[in-house]
Amino acid sequence: LNRIKASGLKLRFCTNETQATREKFVKKLQGMGFDISVAEVTAPAPAACRILKERSLRPHLLVHNDLVPEFAEIDKANPNCVVIGDAAENFTYANLNEAFRVLIGMEKPVLISLGRGRYYKETDGLKLDVGAYMKALEYACDVQAEVVGKPAKTFFESALAEMGVPPQQAIMIGDDIVNDVGGAQQCGMRALQVRTGKYRPCDENHPHVKPDAYVNNLAEAVDIILQQL
C-alpha cells in the first residue's frame, strides 16, 4: 500500500465489513501494519445511513452489535423498513422472525441489505454471510432487497466519486469473484482476482465472471499495476 501511495495513485478500500464500525475496522488494519485512515474506507453502513436520511426511513436493525454506533444519528422509532447486515451470532431464529414480522406487516415492505455475500473466510473456516439471511427474508416476505455494498453499482460509483476517478482508470483488487470482480467490471472498471482469502480454484471456471487477470497475492497485483505506469 505504501508503494501505491508513493506512486501517486489514488487508493480506496471498498469493504462489505458490517461487523464493526469503520473506526474499529481501521484500527484492526492499522494493528496489522496497514497505513489506512477512515476517510479512505467506503463501507455499507454509512452508505445505508445516507439512503435512510434521504428517504425518511426508520430502520429496524438486524445487524452486529458492534455496527450499531454507525446508526446513532438515525431515527429508529416505529420502524418502516428493515436493515440487515452480517449479524453473526445475532442471526437467531427469534431475531430473524422479528425482522420478518416488521416486513410482513408493511403494505410495501422495504428491506435494505448491507451486502449480499454468500460466505466469507475467517481463521477457523468459512462462515455464512448476510446474503443467505437476506434471501430468507426476501422469500418469506415476497420482497426484493435493496443491496448497499458490493456488488451494487452505486457502491462502486460512490467510491469512484470520492476519488474523482472515472471507472476506466480504476482497478479493483479482490478475492470475491462475484462481489469484487463482477461488481467492479459491471461499473466499467478492470478487476484482478487474488488467489488468497476466500478464492477457490473453481472461481476460475465461473460461468459469467472472468477477471482481467489472476494474481497470487496483493504484492503481485501491486507489481503489475506499477509496471503499467
Side-chain angles (χ1 to χ4, degrees), residues 17-213:
E17 172 62 64
T18 59
Q19 281 198 14
T21 59
R22 280 167 301 164
E23 284 75 12
K24 244 185 173 171
F25 173 69
V26 164
K27 274 207 177 85
K28 182 177 161 186
L29 287 178
Q30 285 171 343
M32 295 173 179
F34 287 95
D35 175 20
I36 173 177
S37 68
V38 171
E40 293 172 305
V41 175
T42 303
C49 286
R50 280 199 298 272
I51 291 168
L52 294 168
K53 282 177 181 168
E54 281 165 15
R55 289 163 54 185
S56 302
L57 290 170
R58 301 179 304 278
H60 169 84
L61 297 177
L62 177 51
V63 299
H64 198 281
N65 293 346
D66 292 345
L67 193 71
V68 173
E70 289 273 21
F71 296 90
E73 291 173 24
I74 301 289
D75 180 9
K76 295 177 277 292
N78 189 23
N80 58 1
C81 75
V82 167
V83 171
I84 184 173
D86 177 16
E89 274 69 35
N90 277 353
F91 277 138
T92 61
Y93 175 79
N95 287 348
L96 266 171
N97 202 52
E98 195 181 351
F100 158 73
R101 284 176 169 174
V102 171
L103 285 171
I104 207 76
M106 292 176 199
E107 200 178 324
K108 283 189 177 167
V110 176
L111 174 60
I112 294 172
S113 186
L114 307 179
R116 65 162 199 222
R118 293 173 177 172
Y119 57 86
Y120 54 93
K121 189 174 186 178
E122 285 193 348
T123 44
D124 59 347
L126 298 177
K127 305 266 178 105
L128 271 178
D129 202 353
V130 61
Y133 300 95
M134 174 197 91
K135 285 288 179 192
L137 290 175
E138 280 188 337
Y139 178 62
C141 303
D142 196 18
V143 61
Q144 184 90 43
E146 300 174 43
V147 178
V148 180
K150 301 179 290 188
K153 204 172 180 184
T154 49
F155 190 68
F156 285 105
E157 285 169 348
S158 65
L160 290 166
E162 285 159 10
M163 290 192 292
V165 170
Q168 299 77 13
Q169 291 176 20
I171 293 180
M172 174 77 192
I173 305 167
D175 65 350
D176 188 313
I177 184 76
V178 173
N179 293 318
D180 294 337
V181 175
Q185 287 177 335
Q186 279 182 341
C187 272
M189 297 162 67
R190 283 167 292 174
L192 305 179
Q193 188 176 18
V194 286
R195 292 189 176 106
T196 54
K198 72 191 288 187
Y199 161 84
R200 294 158 80 207
C202 63
D203 290 347
E204 305 206 15
N205 302 316
H206 195 280
H208 311 300
V209 185
K210 297 276 174 279
D212 292 275

